[in-house]
Amino acid sequence: MAVLHSAPRFTLIDGLRDVLGKALGAHLVEAHEEHGELLFTVKRDSIEDALRILRDDHGYQQLMEIAGVDYPSRPERFEVVYMLLSLTTNNRIMVKCSASEDTPVPTVTTLWPNAGWLEREVFDMYGVLFAGNTDLRRILTDYGFEGHPFRKDFPLTGYHELRYSEDEKRVVYEPVELAQDLRQFDFMSPWEGANYVLPGDEKADTPPVEEPKTTEKAGDTGAGKKTDEHAADKVSAGAPAEEDSGEDAPAPEPTEDQPARPEREGKTTDTAAATEPDPSDDDADAAKDAK
């Protein structure tokens, strides 16, 4: 038997952008659809009021996630993205605002208690400050960690590394020292060709020599009539290997000095008597047992 639910399986977003955009009013900066989802950009100082309207008036009860994005080329390089879920309409939307290193974002812990941990994560990874968060501490990195790992200008190897010191019997921090430069792997297809100059390819653009190098006379190169007359002479003439003694060397003596064996007389079937036991051996064994 099929069970009917009041909430639809999914909600179409057609017309939803205009409804929610009108509800946000002056708090809204931009609203657009991307990849089948609605994104609303609101003013940073109005983020708490905008999210309160969406929660109380339009049924977006749950704050699923708070994420950060870094755009170093922008004046306000960070974006804080809030992902909301409506259980009654089975619909998700994203609300975001921009911020910089010294412009705090109002906290939304007054709306959702779980925002405390989510804001701590964005602060730890990106360095975004949240005004009103009473427990804004690092949550993923270690004590005394310097920098924010998810920023685009943070080095992939970090600034410090930790290890256990056998001498001090504790974990110590040390500056990162790389034995070699960070490798850059190229996954481009060799059939398409690289978009950079490979080692040695810089010679391909070198123009050929306009005038070949020549000599003024043949004697400078060692060529000429005098050289051609001796071209057939052997360089090894007069060497011991080239001298002919005129005598044929005798054949070497054989290395084996073993007389020829006489042929076997009879056949192998005639040797059966040699393999039969001697009766006298049995008598000798019996005499030993009697003793």
Side-chain angles (χ1 to χ4, degrees):
M1 179 179 178
V3 179
L4 299 179
H5 296 277
S6 58
R9 180 171 299 180
F10 59 90
T11 300
L12 299 177
I13 62 176
D14 296 340
L16 186 60
R17 179 180 62 179
D18 297 334
V19 173
L20 297 180
K22 184 177 180 180
L24 293 175
H27 305 310
L28 183 65
V29 176
E30 181 187 4
H32 68 281
E33 178 183 344
E34 186 174 347
H35 304 295
E37 296 181 345
L38 291 179
L39 287 83
F40 298 90
T41 303
V42 300
K43 299 178 182 178
R44 180 179 57 256
D45 296 335
S46 303
I47 186 64
E48 183 181 3
D49 297 333
L51 295 181
R52 188 187 303 275
I53 293 174
L54 295 174
R55 187 196 66 173
D56 297 343
D57 300 341
H58 296 275
Y60 289 91
Q61 302 95 342
Q62 291 191 359
L63 173 65
M64 303 303 298
E65 181 63 270
I66 300 178
V69 189
D70 184 16
Y71 299 95
S73 59
R74 296 181 181 180
E76 293 186 344
R77 60 183 296 181
F78 303 114
E79 280 188 354
V80 183
V81 184
Y82 301 82
M83 304 178 187
L84 307 181
L85 170 64
S86 173
L87 299 177
T88 56
T89 60
N90 195 11
N91 178 254
R92 295 172 183 263
I93 61 173
M94 288 187 288
V95 182
K96 62 182 181 179
C97 65
S98 60
S100 62
E101 299 182 25
D102 52 357
T103 54
V105 178
T107 183
V108 294
T109 53
T110 55
L111 304 177
W112 294 282
N114 66 321
W117 283 51
L118 300 177
E119 290 176 353
R120 287 177 59 183
E121 182 177 353
V122 176
F123 163 73
D124 192 1
M125 296 291 102
Y126 294 93
V128 178
L129 300 176
F130 291 90
N133 191 317
T134 58
D135 190 19
L136 196 62
R137 297 174 296 157
R138 291 185 180 269
I139 191 172
L140 296 177
T141 56
D142 199 1
Y143 298 102
F145 189 88
E146 297 180 3
H148 303 280
F150 279 6
R151 289 188 179 185
K152 296 294 181 62
D153 52 4
F154 191 83
L156 297 179
T157 57
Y159 296 103
H160 295 84
E161 60 182 357
L162 57 88
R163 66 175 181 86
Y164 182 79
S165 174
E166 291 289 347
D167 299 333
E168 302 182 18
K169 302 298 180 183
R170 65 181 182 88
V171 176
V172 296
Y173 278 86
E174 295 177 344
V176 173
E177 295 182 2
L178 296 179
Q180 62 181 4
D181 294 336
L182 184 65
R183 294 181 179 181
Q184 299 291 342
F185 296 96
D186 181 15
F187 298 101
M188 182 179 294
S189 172
W191 304 107
E192 299 175 359
N195 55 1
Y196 52 86
V197 179
L198 295 173
D201 286 357
E202 66 277 1
K203 301 178 182 179
D205 297 333
T206 304
V209 179
E210 297 180 358
E211 297 181 0
K213 184 178 180 181
T214 59
T215 54
E216 296 180 359
K217 56 183 180 178
D220 295 341
T221 63
K225 182 178 180 180
K226 184 177 180 181
T227 303
D228 295 341
E229 293 176 354
H230 300 280
D233 296 344
K234 293 184 178 181
V235 179
S236 61
E242 295 291 337
E243 295 181 356
D244 188 6
S245 60
E247 298 180 358
D248 295 334
E253 297 292 335
T255 57
E256 294 185 1
D257 189 12
Q258 184 176 0
R261 295 182 180 180
E263 295 182 0
R264 178 186 292 273
E265 296 179 0
K267 299 180 179 180
T268 56
T269 56
D270 299 335
T271 61
T275 59
E276 294 179 357
D278 190 356
S280 61
D281 295 339
D282 296 338
D283 297 340
D285 295 336
K288 290 181 181 179
D289 297 337
K291 294 181 180 181

